[in-house]
Amino acid sequence: MDFTPTEEQASARDLAGEIFGDLSTPERLAAAGTGSDAELWKALCAAGLPGAVEDVGLLGLVLLLEEQGRVTAQVPFAASCVYGLLAVAAHGTDEQRERLLPGLRDGTAVATGAFPARGGVVVAAEGEPGGVAVAAKGTLTGEVPWVPWLRDATEVLVAVREPEPPGGHSLWRVRVADAETEPVELTAPWAAGRLVLDGAPAERLGGQGAYDDVLASARTAFAGLQAGVCAGSLARAVAHTNEREQFGRPLAAKQGVQLRAADAHMDTEAIRVTAYEAAWRRDTGLAYGTHALTAAWWASEAGKRVVHAGQHLHGGMGADLDHPVHRYFLWGRQLDAYLGCGGEVLAEMGDLIARDAREEKA
């Protein structure tokens, strides 16, 4: 394994860090409320960063999302790249790639995913002759209680639970303009909305295995985002405890503070390296399903420990809802549960390992 960034990946990461750092300031975040920062999104697109993800791969995207997480930048970067650009590039037909990728590359089209943590969306689906499972086009009817970044999206990738094979899913692309949406507020300010499909026209994306690949890619990408959130929270805690004095000594000089920060650092590194491994394996064409689940487990279990530590190390200031560190807490807790909390992904990993063992014996 070699997680050393390529020259292209390092350049994209550095550019992203500069743009996020310059434009995603606490003052701008406070002014944005729970909405997205349109100016920041325009700057990212003008720099060509969404389109660059095709070249830098999932590992490159993880590096970019770390930079976003460090400042909790409110833009649909992760969602549009995973559920749009990477999904279409990997599983779209030649016609779909030619039609859909240009808008996703330049940011004029924004994608998100209706991917509940457990089981996919249960909807009524009707397709062309041959059944919805094999049809290229159809209609979807159903409701998804919340979809992140739906208020910014022009298209949404819907995961539909299929009767055959049992537990299988298919992916369908729906234009947001063809659905009903209603704003919903989440723990984190992710510009979410409720999605209502009432005979909405949809087109299928990919075949068997597409759902598993996109879900694993999403879990890996959002684990990278969590690594950045944790790094940002810890950096603020370290700065605070070095500046804040008690009885004439910095708080950082106390052993209890040092141990808490050290644990948070190790947890952050565990999230980062497991996300790197899953992304690297995907980019090199290796199986990465269990590795994506491992990254998701660390992002959930370790992520919430780190953002709790960040607040705790700020003392009473950590309880101030307007303090910048509280934003990291909200993002960390949202990412803890998104696409499956620790216990859920651990159970899923056990099922996957057991299934693989049965297939090997057969």
Side-chain angles (χ1 to χ4, degrees):
M1 294 180 291
D2 184 4
F3 305 147
T4 305
T6 64
E7 185 177 345
E8 287 182 334
Q9 290 170 338
S11 297
R13 177 198 61 198
D14 295 344
L15 178 58
E18 181 179 341
I19 295 173
F20 283 128
D22 288 345
L23 295 182
S24 190
T25 62
E27 295 75 20
R28 286 177 59 88
L29 289 169
T34 61
S36 296
D37 189 332
E39 183 178 340
L40 174 56
W41 180 247
K42 289 180 181 178
L44 292 169
C45 295
L49 287 175
V53 172
E54 276 188 286
D55 298 321
V56 300
L58 184 57
L59 179 56
L61 176 59
V62 167
L63 295 172
L64 298 179
L65 293 177
E66 277 193 82
E67 300 305 317
Q68 178 184 359
R70 289 180 199 277
V71 292
T72 60
Q74 290 175 201
V75 285
F77 194 77
S80 194
C81 288
V82 170
Y83 299 123
L85 194 125
L86 289 181
V88 173
H91 302 288
T93 63
D94 290 341
E95 186 277 332
Q96 286 175 321
R97 287 194 290 268
E98 184 178 352
R99 171 167 49 91
L100 301 176
L101 285 178
L104 293 166
R105 288 174 184 140
D106 63 23
T108 54
V110 176
T112 189
F115 273 52
R118 300 291 289 174
V121 183
V122 180
V123 298
E126 296 181 359
E128 297 171 343
V132 71
V134 296
K137 295 184 179 180
T139 60
L140 300 181
T141 299
E143 180 180 318
V144 186
W146 66 272
V147 178
W149 309 110
L150 184 61
R151 283 179 258 165
D152 299 326
T154 57
E155 57 191 71
V156 57
L157 192 61
V158 181
V160 177
R161 187 184 303 169
E162 296 285 355
E164 294 294 337
H169 301 79
S170 57
L171 295 179
W172 293 79
R173 175 186 170 272
V174 176
R175 294 194 317 140
V176 174
D178 293 327
E180 298 178 27
T181 63
E182 177 182 327
V184 173
E185 298 302 337
L186 304 179
T187 300
W190 283 6
R194 183 169 66 99
L195 179 69
V196 179
L197 305 171
D198 185 10
E203 62 174 328
R204 181 165 179 145
L205 184 71
Q208 187 174 3
Y211 167 80
D212 291 335
D213 176 61
V214 173
L215 178 58
S217 296
R219 281 172 165 159
T220 303
F222 281 98
L225 184 61
Q226 181 75 301
V229 169
C230 291
S233 174
L234 182 58
R236 284 191 170 276
V238 169
H240 173 78
T241 54
N242 274 288
E243 295 169 0
R244 185 82 169 178
E245 292 189 356
Q246 188 179 65
F247 306 118
R249 298 179 61 199
L251 289 175
K254 297 182 179 295
Q255 188 178 45
V257 171
Q258 294 172 2
L259 292 174
R260 191 76 191 274
D263 286 342
H265 170 73
M266 293 305 295
D267 273 338
T268 302
E269 288 302 302
I271 300 170
R272 176 180 289 117
V273 73
T274 52
Y276 284 5
E277 181 179 12
W280 174 82
R281 290 182 66 91
R282 195 255 189 192
D283 289 343
T284 54
L286 298 173
Y288 74 110
T290 55
H291 300 79
L293 287 168
T294 301
W297 184 86
W298 276 104
S300 175
E301 293 295 312
K304 61 188 172 190
R305 288 197 296 264
V306 174
V307 295
H308 275 264
Q311 278 206 298
H312 187 198
L313 291 174
H314 275 77
M317 290 184 181
D320 182 357
L321 301 185
D322 295 324
H323 194 284
V325 76
H326 186 67
R327 187 178 301 273
Y328 292 90
F329 176 78
L330 296 179
W331 277 65
R333 290 313 307 252
Q334 186 73 59
L335 286 163
D336 159 36
Y338 184 51
L339 299 178
C341 66
E344 290 173 330
V345 297
L346 197 62
E348 189 175 335
M349 185 186 299
D351 292 339
L352 182 58
I353 293 172
R355 187 191 69 189
D356 290 344
R358 288 194 301 269
E359 290 177 354
E360 286 182 6
K361 289 182 179 180

